[in-house]
Structures are given as structure tokens and as C-alpha cells.
Amino acid sequence: MSQAANTGVQEIPAPAAAAPRSTLGKRALPRWAPLGFAAVALVLGIGTGAFAGWQSRTQWGLFSALLFVVISYVTTSVVENRRQAKDRLATSVVWVCFLLAVAPLASLLWTTVSRGAERLDGYFLSHSMAGVLGSEATGGVYHALIGTLEQVGLATLIAAPIGMLTAVYLVEYGRGALAKAVTFFVDVMTGIPSIVAGLFILSIMLMTKTDPSGLMGALALTILMIPVVVRSTEEMLKLVPNELREASLALGVPKWRTILKVVLPTALGGITTGVMLAIARIAGETAPIMLLVFGSQLINTNPFEGAQSSLPFYIWEQYRVGTEQSYDRAWAAALVLIAFVMILNLVARGIARWKAPKH
């Protein structure tokens, strides 16, 4: 007899382990379902727009986007469950907002490239508008390109050191009322309109009886560039670990030398990126150049004397002429300006990746 029988205790069989629930019967949409929803919504939107006689393709696109969101939510609710449907709804709305933000940019870029590439060539980049009438198909952008490079270069030489030193003061030394005042004025300058900066320099020119020149335009661009450099440099310096500063100070290194040899080299990649982005921000300003540089159709390589042109001013000038030939030159100059800004952004990204900490 078993021990259980000897003790008179009845054995209770252990409960059988629950069988694992099969997930084979759970319904789920395939991964390509969002693309299918988009295709169906696009077909229905175009068909509805054509049937209703809508002339604007923007209406077709907006209606298709609305159909995409509705189809995604309803289909997911029926096939899966309401929880997945809500998740799909949020994802669909995010994608629609992304496309709504990218579509105007893509349309602008496509229009600029298609219109500007027709006129952009070596002759256009190497000749000025000296003696060229608005109705003639000749002329180029060389004088404006020289003016932009010199004015932006001077603004960078002035604004970059001032902005970087201001950021170093705010992060490493700034305490009390003075630091708060500097931070406040930097925030105010960040949102200042470009025309206000131009009027400020213009008032100084009138008081000192100074003639228009590329330098005056560069000073206005400096005012617009400084707060961007300060903010970007300040954020990069804050990302430097305090342990690096403490280790350097523990070795008896003076604070100024710690900043120069440890802090700034560590944040150099981000600082350079911020400066490049600030340059791209001021490269397209037109109002200060109109007030302070006056524009010129001649080549002037001296930014300290005489009127100059710039790419934004050249675009506005050619558009104001109003002929088919001037419109072509304006689109080509716009393409040159976009390429200039794009190259600066690519250089900034390359420097940031090059100077990024190696893990």
C-alpha cells in the first residue's frame, strides 16, 4: 500500500497545465496594409475630385488624405480591434501631417530646379548685368554672388567670435543680474525682424553720413546672426560633461585654459554646425541689403566702398523688371541661392559627424 493510503490522506491530482492559447486565429493586417490604404484613398480622392469637377489638385490631395485616415481606422477596427485602430489612427494622422509639411517644400524645390536649370550655366555664373537690358537674354549673377560671399563672410567674421564668447560667458561665468539681462536681450534679438536691423544700421549711417557699402549690409546681417550663434553655442557647451571640467581643474589647470583646451574642443562639432546654420539663415535676407547696399549691376569686389548686389536682391530686382528673360534669371539665381544654402547645411552635417565623439 502506498504511503498516502497508510496515512489516510486522499491524493488530489495536480491540475493539468493550461494549454497555450493559439495565436494562429488572431486576425491582423499585413505590413503593406498602409500602402494599400493610401493607394485606395488616392484613387478614390482623384476619382471624386474629377467627378465633382474640382479644379485644384490641392483639394484632391486633402480629400485623399482624409479618406486615408478614415479607411485606416475603419478597416483596422473591423479586422483587428479598437485599440489597434486608435494606434493606426494616430500613425495615419502623423503621416498625413508629415506629407502636408513636405509637399509645399518639394513643390517649391521642384519648381525652382525645373525653372532655374533652363538658364543656369557657366555663362550665367561668370557674367554680371553690366549694360544688359531687362528684355535681353544675356547677363549673369556673378556680381551678386560676389556680393553675397563678401557680405556673409564679413558678418560671420564679426558675429561668430562675439556669439561664441557670449555663450562662453553665459555658461561658464554667467551669474546674477548681468547674465539674466544678456539672456533676455539674446532672446529678444532672436525674433527681431530683419528690416529692424537694417533700419538700425541705416540710422547710424545717416548720423555719421556714411555711404552705402557691403560692410553696412554685413553689419545688419551680424545683428541677425549673433543670437543664433549664441543660442547654438550655449546649448553645445551645456552638453559638455562637468566631469571633464572638474578633472581639468583638479589637475591645477586654470579655468580659462580648461575652457580653451577641454570645453571648446569637445563642443567644436556642434558649435561649427550652429555657425553654419546661422550663415544659411542670413544668406537669404533681402531687406537689409535693399536699405544699406542699394544693389548694383556692376562687379564690385570691394565691400568697404560703393554699392553692391547680393543673390536675394538680384532675385527681387529681376522679378521687378517683369520680362520673360528677367524671370528666367530670377529663377536661376534662386536655384544658386538654394544650392548655396544646401551646401552650407551639408558641410555643417559633415563637420558635426566628423567631430562627433567616437564610441
Side-chain angles (χ1 to χ4, degrees), residues 208-252:
T208 58
K209 297 181 180 180
T210 305
D211 296 329
S213 63
L215 176 62
M216 297 297 104
L219 293 178
L221 297 179
T222 300
I223 298 176
L224 301 175
M225 186 177 177
I226 286 178
V228 181
V229 177
V230 172
R231 275 288 165 257
S232 59
T233 305
E234 185 179 3
E235 294 302 321
M236 291 301 104
L237 293 178
K238 289 180 179 179
L239 294 178
V240 178
N242 286 327
E243 288 77 5
L244 296 178
R245 299 179 175 89
E246 294 171 356
S248 177
L249 295 174
L251 295 175

Side-chain angles (χ1 to χ4, degrees), residues 125-158:
L125 295 174
S126 59
H127 287 74
S128 67
M129 291 295 296
V132 179
L133 299 178
S135 58
E136 296 180 2
T138 56
V141 75
Y142 179 76
H143 62 298
L145 184 59
I146 292 296
T148 294
L149 292 176
E150 291 182 348
Q151 294 157 24
V152 172
L154 286 174
T156 304
L157 289 177
I158 301 173

Side-chain angles (χ1 to χ4, degrees), residues 297-312:
Q297 295 185 346
L298 304 177
I299 299 175
N300 181 11
T301 58
N302 184 8
F304 302 100
E305 183 180 359
Q308 273 190 327
S309 185
S310 69
L311 288 174

Side-chain angles (χ1 to χ4, degrees), residues 139-195:
V141 75
Y142 179 76
H143 62 298
L145 184 59
I146 292 296
T148 294
L149 292 176
E150 291 182 348
Q151 294 157 24
V152 172
L154 286 174
T156 304
L157 289 177
I158 301 173
I162 295 176
M164 292 174 59
L165 292 175
T166 303
V168 169
Y169 166 75
L170 292 176
V171 176
E172 304 294 337
Y173 298 97
R175 300 292 186 274
L178 180 59
K180 293 180 180 179
V182 172
T183 302
F184 172 76
F185 282 110
V186 169
D187 292 337
V188 172
M189 290 177 63
T190 302
I192 188 173
S194 60
I195 188 66

